[in-house]
Amino acid sequence: MATIALPRLSAPSLGGAQLKGLMTNRYVGLAAATLLLAAAAFGLAKVLGPAAPGGGTVRVSLTGVLARAPEGWRETLVPLRGPAHISQDVIRLSERPLAPLTGIGSRPDKLLPPPPPGAPLPVAPVAGFFAPGPAGPLPIIAQDGRTPFEAYRRPFAPNGRPKIALMIGGLGLNARATQQAIETLPAEVTLSFSPYAEGLQGWIDMARAHGHEVLLETPMEPVDYPDNDPGPYTLMAGAQGPDTLKKLEWILSRATGYFGVTNYLGSKFLASDGAYQTFSAALKGRGVAFVDDGSAARRGGKGVVRGSAERVIDDQLNPAAIDQQLVALEAGALQRGQAVGSGFAYPVTLEKVAQWSRALTDRGFQLTPVSALVH
């Protein structure tokens, strides 16, 4: 093969005017941009690696997830065209919710340290524990595994005395009663609010500013429905899973700052295995507790933070009966070391609880947030 000798070329020397001309030449600029784009594409290909044969399809297995999914969940996954296909295991899905979108939530490690007892609770929402939903912000588990239950509960330090917790519900619908409960009851009393309340977030913010931890009430179907109707977003015992989840998400998105939910009525709903499993699985996935008024005392919930009141203090709406129930709570705390009661925001209930709590420490008990007595 012939060898061709090429002349050795020396680099041209450019003067200032020539260099300026090259820099302003549009063809030179176009060539430089093309080279830069090619270099970026080459670097991206090196990072991502070669494409898989057959295109960019990613197969995701739902094995194991379907077994824990709420009833009817799979049927809602309708493909745009053709039948749905489920592949063999390729990757394992995480049960942890996605991190909040940029600008919606930030790093959960910026969570404020617990305030001293009696101090206001951190302003809600706490960054990293919520994400946007169809009707508003929804609670989520933070990237480091911490839950809204942990973020929004009231800090508590036991002192060795028998513990008594009390939650007062039905708040937000009557402004006078709501303000009375927030301002006159001790900060250790847990307050629960109706999701139908106007200005709900403002009431919750006010309660937390006074040191109260908060529950959100979930309307549930009673045995005498529809004669006793808890409202348009009532969770129904016979509803399909997607319908229950849709209503529950609306309720959960009404406000932020609650550590859990409680039932409003619900004797029929809580007696349904399928309905309760859908409900409890949804709460588990969001890191939210469920504390009932005693209607679901025999219900557990794998992985769900649970608690039940052992008595309703104002079933009989008169001062003497309420006093008797409060004394019964004290007796239960002496026997078992702790007791949980519930009541409604009736004026007489609020007045009697405020009076009873003033001397509770002198009688040897510790008034305790409900969140401290759940499991």
Side-chain angles (χ1 to χ4, degrees), residues 12-24:
S13 176
L14 297 178
Q18 292 174 309
L19 182 59
K20 182 177 180 180
L22 279 175
M23 295 298 293
T24 57

Side-chain angles (χ1 to χ4, degrees), residues 6-12:
L6 296 177
R8 185 180 301 272
L9 299 178
S10 59

Side-chain angles (χ1 to χ4, degrees), residues 162-168 189 293 308-314 321-343 349 352-353 356-357 360 363-368 370 373:
K163 297 180 284 293
I164 300 178
L166 194 61
M167 57 181 180
I168 299 296
V189 173
D293 60 3
S308 295
E310 62 185 61
R311 62 181 62 250
V312 178
I313 64 172
D314 50 8
I322 293 174
D323 284 338
Q324 291 177 358
Q325 292 295 328
L326 292 172
V327 170
L329 275 180
E330 294 183 13
L334 285 173
Q335 292 174 357
R336 296 179 297 277
Q338 63 182 51
V340 180
S342 70
T349 302
K352 297 305 295 183
V353 169
W356 164 79
S357 63
L360 189 64
R363 294 195 297 274
F365 297 93
Q366 183 179 18
L367 190 57
T368 306
V370 167
L373 301 185

Side-chain angles (χ1 to χ4, degrees), residues 1-321:
M1 178 179 296
T3 301
I4 302 176
L6 296 177
R8 185 180 301 272
L9 299 178
S10 59
S13 176
L14 297 178
Q18 292 174 309
L19 182 59
K20 182 177 180 180
L22 279 175
M23 295 298 293
T24 57
N25 189 298
R26 65 175 181 173
Y27 296 107
V28 173
L30 180 60
T34 302
L35 288 174
L36 182 60
L37 180 61
F42 177 77
L44 184 61
K46 293 291 288 182
V47 171
L48 297 180
T57 301
V58 177
R59 295 182 297 144
V60 177
S61 170
L62 300 182
T63 304
V65 178
L66 289 178
R68 300 188 298 272
E71 181 182 354
W73 176 79
R74 179 175 175 177
E75 286 72 14
T76 64
L77 300 179
V78 181
L80 294 177
R81 58 177 66 86
H85 298 285
I86 298 178
S87 70
Q88 298 298 319
D89 282 86
V90 177
I91 62 173
R92 185 178 300 276
L93 294 178
S94 170
E95 293 182 354
R96 181 169 299 172
L98 294 175
L101 300 178
T102 302
I104 300 297
S106 59
R107 291 175 56 86
D109 56 10
K110 294 183 180 179
L111 179 65
L112 296 177
L121 301 183
V123 176
V126 177
F129 292 93
F130 70 101
L138 286 168
I140 63 169
I141 299 174
Q143 291 179 343
D144 63 357
R146 287 183 294 168
T147 63
F149 166 76
E150 296 169 307
Y152 295 123
R153 63 185 297 188
R154 177 180 170 81
F156 172 73
N159 60 13
R161 297 182 175 187
K163 297 180 284 293
I164 300 178
L166 194 61
M167 57 181 180
I168 299 296
L171 295 169
L173 299 177
N174 181 296
R176 183 175 181 179
T178 302
Q179 186 168 356
Q180 180 182 352
I182 292 173
E183 295 181 347
T184 65
L185 297 182
E188 290 80 10
V189 173
T190 301
L191 304 181
S192 71
F193 289 80
S194 168
Y196 302 127
E198 184 177 355
L200 177 59
Q201 188 63 62
W203 285 122
I204 291 179
D205 291 344
M206 181 179 177
R208 290 181 59 81
H210 281 74
H212 297 281
E213 65 179 16
V214 169
L215 289 165
L216 191 61
E217 293 172 5
T218 305
M220 298 177 178
E221 182 183 8
V223 292
D224 55 349
Y225 181 89
D227 293 336
N228 193 3
D229 187 353
Y233 287 90
T234 299
L235 304 187
M236 305 297 292
Q240 295 295 313
D243 183 61
T244 297
L245 294 177
K246 182 178 179 180
K247 288 183 176 179
L248 181 60
E249 284 193 352
W250 182 87
I251 294 167
L252 296 178
S253 65
R254 291 287 291 137
T256 63
Y258 53 89
F259 74 89
V261 301
T262 186
N263 63 301
Y264 176 67
L265 302 179
S267 52
K268 185 174 182 179
F269 179 87
L270 292 170
S272 169
D273 291 340
Y276 181 76
Q277 288 171 6
T278 298
F279 169 74
S280 61
L283 296 184
K284 173 186 175 183
R286 297 197 172 277
V288 175
F290 175 48
V291 184
D292 67 274
D293 60 3
S295 303
R298 297 184 179 181
R299 286 287 187 186
K302 187 176 181 180
V304 180
V305 179
R306 283 285 288 116
S308 295
E310 62 185 61
R311 62 181 62 250
V312 178
I313 64 172
D314 50 8
D315 263 345
Q316 298 180 44
L317 203 57
N318 66 76

